[in-house]
């Protein structure tokens, strides 16, 4: 297998997103000299001819496929056709062009939502397609599963070296902190921050606070992606998680400590909890020798510092 040579040309698809931007930061921090990126206006990944022309001209040696249409439950429910069509289109075009232009190694970013809704915990790579995905993000999950299967099919038919990684819940720089349609950690961070600023006496958290979730700082994920690309892998699908579970209640308490909010936490038990537990089995990547750098509290602290800088910049 052609492990990644940082002196060669590396294309990061989706470099403006949370994951893609973290991969670009990690590549530059590790000394990569020739990182190629394109904005949506410069290269429409949904246009097959444009993608083929770009690959033929640039000839990247390595590809990180982080471009995807992502969103929370509301977005997935409202735009299911967009989620399946755009994700299938982007990944099909990039993977096919990578093969046609002799890319040495490709890393495809999947999602933990590819695993069945009723998956045994912790979720192992071999649980893929052993049951039905969660209904609320099924179109997105189906597209990601197709991407994983496409990589595996190219490996089998053409002896390529395409790897899919399944990250757990991510947070960090360039996350979506919108109160309406963000994920739980950035949403809570903003909620607690605004409560502190306004001097509110309490913060209301949806649900009972009892479900357990796993979180990974996006910069730790990016380092894991580089690690996987830099080492021969016996597997073409690898989970990437922190291995640490935290209850939503404990998460909210940790965020309050980091932000310095002294008020009360109230749980609105009329709101849905979601799955009681969602944990990835990350033993494959641990066996390869990688583990995350920061604890959850340290990661939230780093994210809050970045969030505050953005607030100042926007003011």
């Amino acid at each position: 297998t052609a492990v990644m040579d940082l002196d060669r040309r590396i294309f990061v698809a989706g470099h403006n997103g949370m994951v893609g931007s973290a991969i670009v930061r990690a590549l530059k921090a590790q000394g990569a000299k020739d990182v190629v990126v394109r904005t949506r206006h410069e290269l429409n990944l949904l246009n097959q001819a444009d993608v083929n022309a770009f690959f033929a001209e640039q000839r990247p040696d390595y590809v990180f496929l982080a471009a995807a249409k992502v969103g929370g439950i509301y977005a997935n429910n409202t735009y299911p056709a967009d989620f399946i069509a755009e994700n299938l289109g982007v990944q099909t075009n990039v993977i096919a062009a990578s093969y046609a232009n002799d890319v040495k190694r490709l890393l495809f970013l999947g999602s933990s939502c590819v695993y069945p809704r009723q998956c045994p915990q912790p979720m192992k790579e071999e649980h893929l397609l052993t049951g039905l995905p969660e209904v609320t993000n099924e179109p997105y999950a189906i597209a990601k599963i197709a991407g994983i299967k496409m990589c595996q099919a190219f490996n089998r038919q053409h002896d390529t070296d395409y790897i899919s990684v399944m990250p757990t819940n991510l947070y960090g720089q360039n996350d979506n902190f919108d109160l309406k349609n963000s994920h739980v950690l950035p949403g809570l961070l903003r909620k607690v921050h605004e409560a502190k600023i306004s001097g509110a006496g309490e913060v209301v958290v949806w649900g009972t606070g009892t479900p357990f979730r796993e979180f990974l700082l996006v910069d730790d994920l990016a380092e894991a992606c580089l690690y996987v690309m830099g080492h021969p892998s016996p597997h073409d699908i690898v989970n990437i998680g922190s291995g640490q579970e935290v209850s939503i209640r404990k998460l909210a308490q940790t965020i309050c400590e980091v932000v310095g909010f002294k008020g009360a936490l109230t749980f609105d038990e009329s709101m849905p909890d979601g799955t009681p537990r969602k944990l990835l089995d990350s033993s494959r990547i641990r066996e390869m020798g990688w583990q995350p750098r920061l604890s959850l509290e340290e990661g939230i602290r780093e994210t809050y510092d970045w969030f505050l800088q953005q607030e100042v910049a926007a003011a």
Side-chain angles (χ1 to χ4, degrees), residues 13-24:
H15 74 286
N16 278 329
M18 176 165 76
V19 172
S21 59
I23 288 173
V24 171

Side-chain angles (χ1 to χ4, degrees), residues 16-315:
N16 278 329
M18 176 165 76
V19 172
S21 59
I23 288 173
V24 171
R25 282 198 300 278
L27 283 167
K28 297 204 163 146
Q30 292 191 21
K33 310 254 183 322
D34 193 2
V35 179
V36 179
V37 295
R38 289 290 184 272
T39 64
R40 200 167 288 186
H41 299 296
E42 293 167 326
L43 173 63
N44 177 7
L45 294 174
L46 286 166
N47 184 309
Q48 193 173 21
D50 290 359
V51 174
N52 290 344
F54 165 80
F55 269 81
E57 180 198 294
Q58 294 293 325
R59 307 291 298 192
D61 294 289
Y62 304 99
V63 172
F64 288 89
L65 179 39
K69 183 175 180 63
V70 295
I73 290 177
Y74 174 79
N76 274 281
N77 266 335
T78 317
Y79 310 107
D82 296 358
F83 274 89
I84 194 161
E86 287 190 29
N87 284 304
L88 282 172
V90 165
Q91 66 206 29
T92 300
N93 290 343
V94 172
I95 293 167
S98 294
Y99 173 66
N101 292 280
D102 301 319
V103 164
K104 295 185 172 62
R105 214 166 189 204
L106 176 143
L107 184 131
F108 172 68
L109 276 128
S111 161
S112 60
C113 75
V114 299
Y115 293 115
R117 191 167 59 95
Q118 305 284 10
C119 201
Q121 300 290 325
M123 303 182 281
K124 294 180 175 357
E125 289 89 350
E126 48 269 29
H127 291 145
L128 187 67
L129 290 178
T130 55
L132 295 171
E134 172 60 55
V135 181
T136 51
N137 57 11
E138 187 195 67
Y140 177 74
I142 295 282
K144 287 293 186 184
I145 291 166
I148 297 165
K149 289 292 161 191
M150 190 168 174
C151 288
Q152 290 177 331
F154 270 82
N155 290 346
R156 204 167 81 215
Q157 187 177 332
H158 297 298
D159 206 28
T160 47
D161 191 9
Y162 301 165
I163 303 172
S164 302
V165 296
M166 303 306 119
T168 188
N169 300 307
L170 301 168
Y171 68 97
Q173 284 189 39
N174 298 319
D175 205 342
N176 171 13
F177 293 91
D178 183 86
L179 286 173
K180 265 210 292 294
N181 56 18
S182 61
H183 291 112
V184 58
L185 193 154
L188 269 176
L189 193 65
R190 172 170 287 268
K191 212 183 220 185
V192 172
H193 170 75
E194 291 187 355
K196 178 192 168 183
I197 297 302
S198 70
E202 67 166 10
V203 165
V204 179
V205 182
W206 278 18
T208 61
T210 55
F212 280 85
R213 290 291 180 273
E214 176 188 29
F215 298 96
L216 184 67
L217 185 70
V218 71
D219 290 283
D220 276 343
L221 168 74
E223 285 176 18
C225 290
L226 268 62
Y227 191 90
V228 167
M229 283 286 259
H231 291 77
S233 172
H235 307 288
D236 55 15
I237 167 170
V238 179
N239 287 340
I240 303 180
S242 63
Q244 302 295 312
E245 287 181 288
V246 62
S247 71
I248 298 299
R249 177 180 294 274
K250 179 77 178 111
L251 173 70
Q253 288 166 343
T254 304
I255 288 173
C256 288
E257 279 164 33
V258 168
V259 172
F261 174 69
K262 302 285 192 273
L265 272 179
T266 316
F267 292 85
D268 179 356
E269 301 195 359
S270 70
M271 296 311 276
D273 263 342
T275 317
R277 188 176 182 219
K278 234 180 113 179
L279 178 68
L280 285 180
D281 182 326
S282 297
S283 43
R284 277 186 184 178
I285 193 160
R286 294 290 185 280
E287 282 158 16
M288 287 173 72
W290 177 86
Q291 51 189 1
R293 196 171 44 90
L294 294 183
S295 70
L296 181 62
E297 189 182 333
E298 291 166 331
I300 292 173
R301 213 168 275 289
E302 204 167 274
T303 304
Y304 187 51
D305 288 345
W306 181 84
F307 173 83
L308 291 175
Q309 284 164 15
Q310 304 310 300
E311 293 280 286
V312 170

